[in-house]
Amino acid sequence: ALAVPLAVGARALRRWPPWPLLSWALATPVQVGLGARFYKGAFRALSHGSANMDVLVALGSSAAYAYSVYAVSAKRTPSFETGATLVAFVLLGKLLEARAKGKTSQALQALLTLRPDSATVLFDETTSSEEEERIDAAELRRGDVFLTKPGERVAADG
């Protein structure tokens, strides 16, 4: 939520004298608070000798934040919004990904409820007659021939 005023204000208020300090004040909670999960993930990944997306986000947002702190002290134009919007967009992406995974899990659960509990398997005991037997659908094996009567759900695919 703090990244939005930073992104909007960065263009509209850039020449306003208190803007550098105000943008610093808005960016710090985003960088330290919301960005903490990326620092923790980056530390874990680096301590295991690997790099992941957390390392990239922590490095990129920290570089932008550090440059902006330097820019404020050197009386240059800071760009605190860069690191803050990076953290905000990655968190938004993670939120959308989690929601999509949740919906996918729900859809898979709904599909599993459609699977029937039993199947009618055809056995060819002799060469002239076929015999039907009702078995648990989990007991179906490759090569089994099963019968699906009108109105029944199909017990297996493939």
Side-chain angles (χ1 to χ4, degrees):
L2 294 174
V4 174
L6 271 170
V8 172
R11 301 296 172 233
L13 302 173
R14 190 169 289 269
R15 300 202 194 293
W16 186 44
W19 177 248
L21 295 177
L22 181 61
S23 64
W24 190 351
L26 290 171
T28 300
V30 174
Q31 189 69 32
V32 176
L34 297 176
R37 69 177 1 187
F38 298 113
Y39 292 117
K40 290 175 187 173
F43 179 76
R44 265 187 256 114
L46 291 174
S47 67
H48 288 92
S50 66
N52 60 10
M53 188 178 78
D54 291 337
V55 174
L56 295 173
V57 172
L59 189 62
S61 65
S62 295
Y65 185 82
Y67 169 76
S68 295
V69 169
Y70 163 75
V72 168
S73 65
K75 303 289 187 217
R76 295 187 180 174
T77 305
S79 56
F80 284 106
E81 76 280 356
T82 304
T85 53
L86 175 64
V87 169
F89 278 131
V90 173
L91 286 175
L92 176 64
K94 286 182 177 263
L95 173 74
L96 294 174
E97 180 185 12
R99 287 179 65 193
K101 281 182 183 179
K103 288 182 180 181
T104 302
S105 295
Q106 290 174 351
L108 287 173
Q109 289 297 326
L111 280 175
L112 287 175
T113 61
L114 295 176
R115 194 177 127 241
D117 296 328
S118 60
T120 304
V121 178
L122 298 176
F123 291 102
D124 190 9
E125 298 293 330
T126 64
T127 55
S128 61
S129 66
E130 289 184 345
E131 193 173 311
E132 296 178 8
E133 182 181 342
R134 197 89 175 145
I135 64 167
D136 187 62
E139 294 176 15
L140 282 174
R141 300 288 172 244
R142 181 179 290 246
D144 284 350
V145 177
F146 62 93
L147 178 66
T148 303
K149 297 178 180 174
E152 285 186 337
R153 292 176 283 175
V154 179
D157 63 348

